[in-house]
Structures are given as C-alpha cells and as structure tokens.
Amino acid sequence: MSLDPDIVAILAIVATSLVVVLLVLVIVQMVQLRTLRSTYRAAIGEDAPDDLVTAVAKQADGLAQLRVDLGVVHNNTETLRDLHRGSVSRVGLVRYDAFPDMGGMLSFSAALLDERGDGLVISAINGRQETRAYGKPMAAGTSEHSLSDEERAAVEAAMNGRPREALVTPGAKRRRRA
C-alpha cells in the first residue's frame, strides 16, 4: 500500500500544526502552573510543605495555638479590668472663694472616684488666718456625711467626666489674673 505524496504532505502539515498547537498548550499550562505555585507559596508560606494536606494541618495547629493565646490575653484583660475598677479614674475639681472678702479662688473641693463612684471628696477652705481641710468618703457617688454645694459639684463633675469647673460663691467677687 503506497500513499500518495500529496496526502503524505498534507498529513505532515497537519501533524506539524498539531505539534505546534500542543506545544503552545504545554507552554500555557507551564505558565499557569508557575503562577499557581507562586500563589500557593504566598498563601501558605515559603517553607510550606509541597502537599496541601500537610500545609492545612500546619495552619490548623497555628490557629489552635492562637486560640490558646487569645484565651490568655482575655484572662489578663479581665484581671486588668478588675484592677482598674478600683483605681481613681474620675476626678472633679471645683475652685471657689469660700468667703466674700477673699479672692483668688484658693478654696477647692476635689472628688477622687473610681468608675463605681467610690472614693473620697477633699475640701480645703482657705481663710485669711488659716486653711481647713476636710475629707469625706464616697460610696456609689454618695456620702453618709453631708456635702456642700461645691463638694456636690465636684462629685457631679467627676461622675459625668466634665472638665474642671470654677464656681464663685454668691456675693463674692472674682478676681481676674493679669
């Protein structure tokens, strides 16, 4: 059986064309594989194992350790929060002239409270001859001792988180600084 040379030439051209097409497909597949490997290395890490199951298992171990670490951080945060609840975190200061003939707003009431309103109020009344200081305990924003208007204002400023206030008692003249 002999083949016609024209048919052999056509078959050779078709075979060569198929080889070229297959070669292009192999090159495209190699580029895609290289891109896939690079993406895999970026997602899993440079020192990642070659198989995906081992890489996923390693990531799962890492996540389990992160959960343990997060639990430790949560416990430490709660401990710090408990410590913070009892620390002075709210301060209110009211300066005033305690006596009409005294200027400079040298008397003051200061409330030093924690977030529950527990703490104390300190007042210093400045006169011409002497200064008297008073301290009153506070529980939940109230005191078993009677509070002056200025002390109540200091407690209110501390509990509301307002900035310092200055009050002048009625009838007193407030001096301005030059």
Side-chain angles (χ1 to χ4, degrees):
M1 174 164 152
S2 83
L3 292 174
D4 185 17
D6 290 337
I7 293 177
V8 171
I10 292 173
L11 286 175
I13 292 172
V14 169
T16 304
S17 299
L18 285 174
V19 167
V20 170
V21 168
L22 289 174
L23 184 62
V24 168
L25 287 175
V26 167
I27 292 172
V28 167
Q29 290 296 316
M30 286 176 59
V31 169
Q32 288 178 343
L33 182 61
R34 179 177 288 174
T35 304
L36 182 62
R37 281 188 179 160
S38 133
T39 304
Y40 173 78
R41 294 282 181 224
I44 303 299
E46 289 298 323
D47 59 341
D50 285 334
D51 71 292
L52 187 59
V53 173
T54 306
V56 169
K58 185 177 176 184
Q59 291 295 326
D61 291 342
L63 283 174
Q65 182 60 44
L66 282 175
R67 284 188 184 102
V68 170
D69 292 346
L70 185 61
V72 170
V73 168
H74 177 73
N75 291 338
N76 289 344
T77 301
E78 287 302 314
T79 301
L80 289 173
R81 182 79 176 122
D82 289 340
L83 288 172
H84 181 274
R85 281 187 184 105
S87 66
V88 172
S89 60
R90 298 170 187 256
V91 177
L93 176 68
V94 176
R95 295 183 55 181
Y96 55 94
D97 292 328
F99 303 105
D101 61 338
M102 292 290 298
M105 297 176 56
L106 298 176
S107 298
F108 70 89
S109 292
L112 306 169
L113 308 173
D114 64 13
E115 67 181 36
R116 294 178 298 249
D118 298 342
L120 67 130
V121 175
I122 300 171
S123 293
I125 309 297
N126 188 48
R128 288 205 181 274
Q129 300 296 322
E130 63 184 9
T131 298
R132 293 185 182 216
Y134 304 94
K136 298 175 184 175
M138 299 293 296
T142 62
S143 177
E144 61 185 39
H145 303 281
S146 62
L147 298 177
S148 68
D149 291 341
E150 293 83 9
E151 289 168 333
R152 277 193 293 279
V155 169
E156 182 182 330
M159 294 299 288
N160 294 333
R162 290 198 320 258
R164 293 180 221 153
E165 297 179 352
L167 299 179
V168 179
T169 55
K173 293 182 181 177
R174 182 175 176 183
R175 292 186 190 171
R176 292 189 158 223
R177 291 185 182 171

